């Protein structure tokens, strides 16, 4: 059995939770679920974590996170107005 970290982030006028804490070296997935049709939150991206996803309303989207490096990695909406972060600890 493969151990995997998962987190669901609700997108509703921002990100909840805004910070996700993961463990280094354990495969991880973030699922974004947009439940509000307001503005630029229809997209989420992170250059540091190498993802860029469109977020259709009420349709969860899952991204795989590389946890090989520790640190704090930001993600944001398409217009960089709303922010969250992934913290990877050893």
């Amino acid at each position: 059995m493969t151990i995997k970290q998962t987190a669901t982030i609700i997108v509703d006028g921002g990100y909840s939770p805004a910070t996700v804490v993961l463990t280094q070296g354990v495969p991880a997935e973030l699922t974004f679920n947009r439940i509000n049709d307001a503005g630029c939150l229809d997209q989420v991206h992170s250059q540091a974590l190498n993802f860029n996803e469109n977020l259709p309303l009420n349709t969860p989207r899952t991204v795989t996170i590389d946890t090989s490096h520790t640190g704090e990695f930001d993600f944001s909406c398409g217009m960089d107005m709303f922010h969250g972060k992934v913290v990877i600890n050893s």
Side-chain angles (χ1 to χ4, degrees):
M1 182 171 111
T2 302
I3 296 173
K4 177 173 57 174
Q5 302 174 91
T6 61
T8 298
I9 299 167
I10 302 301
V11 182
D12 181 11
Y15 300 108
S16 181
T19 301
V20 175
V21 179
L22 301 172
T23 301
Q24 181 183 18
V26 179
E29 291 180 345
L30 300 181
T31 299
F32 292 89
N33 189 8
R34 184 169 69 104
I35 62 171
N36 183 316
D37 65 355
C40 62
L41 288 163
D42 61 350
Q43 187 179 61
V44 64
H45 65 97
S46 172
Q47 185 171 356
L49 294 170
N50 196 32
F51 68 82
N52 185 0
E53 284 291 321
N54 290 321
L55 300 177
L57 192 60
N58 298 315
T59 305
R61 289 283 196 238
T62 300
V63 295
T64 301
I65 301 300
D66 177 5
T67 61
S68 61
H69 301 286
T70 60
E72 294 188 5
F73 305 94
D74 293 331
F75 60 86
S76 64
C77 68
M79 294 178 66
D80 295 322
M81 293 174 59
F82 298 94
H83 300 269
K85 69 180 171 182
V86 174
V87 178
I88 301 174
N89 293 321
S90 56

